[in-house]
Amino acid sequence: MHKRLDEIEILDFGCGIGGFLDMSHRSLGLKTWGTDIIPPKVGKEWFLPDLGDKKFDVITACEVVEHLPDPRKIFDFIRAHLKSPGVFAFQTAQWDPASLDRDWWYLGPHNGHISLYSREGLTHVFNDMGGVDRRLWNNYAGLQAWLFK
């Protein structure tokens, strides 16, 4: 992707209260939209309750994918709304069954975290979806960016 930052169209998937949505417009001059199951408190003018057939250069999801009851369906939905090429960047805690047990604070429906992701599981989904490049932050699988052609 060889575009200037101010030309890139970004979707904040699961934008929550809209903090990133609002600040990315007002402070950074980015072309950012947000979507969520409820409208945000700030950045409402850039909220998209329905994406229709709109596509984006980058889709972000910060602390969202662990809340999904059918994650693969949503990953495919996100992929369908990416331009070609496009990047899906997300953050969630990595489930490591060798070091984490059922007492892990992140686990459980009481906090809405119903889907957990291991390094191997995310690798499988990336490959199955046809990703062409993947970047991990400090080799941590819980923060990734996937490139699709």
Side-chain angles (χ1 to χ4, degrees):
M1 184 179 319
H2 300 286
K3 291 184 180 180
R4 290 175 16 150
L5 188 56
D6 62 348
E7 296 173 334
I8 293 173
E9 294 182 296
I10 303 167
L11 175 69
D12 187 13
F13 185 84
C15 66
I17 64 168
F20 174 69
L21 182 58
D22 188 58
M23 292 302 288
S24 67
H25 272 271
R26 296 186 198 284
S27 298
L28 302 173
L30 299 179
K31 295 177 182 176
T32 310
W33 290 267
T35 192
D36 207 321
I37 58 174
I38 58 170
K41 295 182 189 277
V42 296
K44 294 176 187 178
E45 55 269 53
W46 303 293
F47 179 70
L48 300 173
D50 182 348
L51 300 182
D53 60 359
K54 187 156 180 55
K55 293 189 180 232
F56 304 88
D57 298 292
V58 176
I59 298 178
T60 62
C62 184
E63 287 293 320
V64 173
V65 299
E66 64 277 3
H67 295 272
L68 304 174
D70 190 351
R72 183 53 194 266
K73 179 180 173 183
I74 300 300
F75 277 54
D76 288 340
F77 176 83
I78 287 169
R79 175 67 186 99
H81 288 280
L82 279 174
K83 293 179 183 178
S84 183
V87 173
F88 174 42
F90 62 94
Q91 189 269 323
T92 188
Q94 174 187 318
W95 169 252
D96 180 4
S99 62
L100 300 168
D101 60 23
R102 294 191 179 272
D103 293 332
W104 183 35
W105 71 270
Y106 197 80
L107 176 63
H110 66 280
N111 59 13
H113 298 172
I114 58 174
S115 295
L116 301 176
Y117 303 90
S118 67
R119 176 180 297 271
E120 297 78 13
L122 289 170
T123 297
H124 172 77
V125 174
F126 169 79
N127 290 330
D128 195 50
M129 291 178 67
V132 296
D133 192 16
R134 181 169 69 159
R135 306 288 170 95
L136 279 64
W137 175 73
N138 286 337
N139 199 33
Y140 176 62
L143 184 55
Q144 299 195 26
W146 296 355
L147 174 67
F148 296 94
K149 292 286 183 188

